[in-house]
Every structure is written in structure tokens, then in C-alpha cells.
């Protein structure tokens, strides 16, 4: 199961509607320093490639078709393992 599967489960139980998230991001961008904007842009530029977007799209379509999800606890463990190697 790809990491984006964890994201989609999180997104379903997320705390913020998409429109609210967009508004918050726009607000953060509008008020960020040049340094922070460069950092943010580099995250998207480096990580959000066409290949990555295609993989996310495929996994999301698979999720929609099969409805396979993991529990929040499984997601937390997987993220902790990725971040901290635990």
C-alpha cells in the first residue's frame, strides 16, 4: 500500500474542508516571507512531479474503486516509521 493511501484515509477524516484548506494556504502564502515562499515552492517543485501526481491519481482511483483504507492507528504507525524509523 503506497503512502498516498494513508493520505486518502487521512483526507476522509480530515479536520478541514478542501475550500477552507485552500483559503488557509492562500492566507499563509499571502503573508509569508520571501524565504518561506521559496521553501514552499521548492517542496512542490521537487516533490510534486507529473510522475508523482500520476501515481497519486492512480492510487486515489484505486481507493475509490476498492474502498480499501487503513485505520488511523495503522496510519500513525506508518508515518512514525517513515519519519523516525521506529
Amino acid at each position: 500500500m503506497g503512502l498516498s493511501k494513508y493520505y486518502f484515509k487521512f483526507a476522509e477524516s480530515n479536520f478541514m474542508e478542501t475550500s477552507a484548506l485552500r483559503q488557509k494556504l492562500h492566507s499563509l502564502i499571502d503573508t509569508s516571507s520571501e524565504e518561506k515562499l521559496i521553501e514552499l515552492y521548492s517542496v512542490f517543485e521537487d516533490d510534486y512531479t507529473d510522475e508523482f501526481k500520476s501515481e497519486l491519481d492512480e492510487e486515489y482511483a484505486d481507493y475509490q474503486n476498492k474502498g480499501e483504507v487503513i485505520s488511523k492507528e495503522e496510519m500513525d504507525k506508518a508515518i512514525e516509521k517513515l519519519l523516525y524509523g521506529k
Side-chain angles (χ1 to χ4, degrees), residues 3-47:
L3 179 59
S4 58
K5 298 267 185 183
Y6 301 115
Y7 166 77
F8 294 123
K9 177 57 182 169
F10 173 76
E12 272 207 346
S13 64
N14 96 26
F15 307 104
M16 198 178 298
E17 293 294 321
T18 302
S19 61
L21 180 58
R22 282 191 178 115
Q23 288 175 349
K24 185 171 177 95
L25 285 171
H26 281 285
S27 177
L28 288 170
I29 289 169
D30 290 343
T31 59
S32 292
S33 68
E34 182 178 352
E35 180 182 332
K36 291 293 180 190
L37 289 172
I38 291 169
E39 288 176 26
L40 180 60
Y41 180 78
S42 70
V43 167
F44 286 107
E45 181 182 50
D46 294 343
D47 295 335

Side-chain angles (χ1 to χ4, degrees), residues 23-78:
Q23 288 175 349
K24 185 171 177 95
L25 285 171
H26 281 285
S27 177
L28 288 170
I29 289 169
D30 290 343
T31 59
S32 292
S33 68
E34 182 178 352
E35 180 182 332
K36 291 293 180 190
L37 289 172
I38 291 169
E39 288 176 26
L40 180 60
Y41 180 78
S42 70
V43 167
F44 286 107
E45 181 182 50
D46 294 343
D47 295 335
Y48 201 73
T49 63
D50 288 340
E51 181 180 342
F52 179 67
K53 183 183 181 314
S54 177
E55 182 181 328
L56 286 176
D57 289 342
E58 287 175 24
E59 291 193 15
Y60 183 67
D62 187 49
Y63 161 73
Q64 285 183 314
N65 291 329
K66 295 180 182 176
E68 294 177 2
V69 295
I70 63 169
S71 70
K72 180 183 180 317
E73 291 77 20
E74 289 173 301
M75 180 181 67
D76 289 343
K77 287 178 187 177

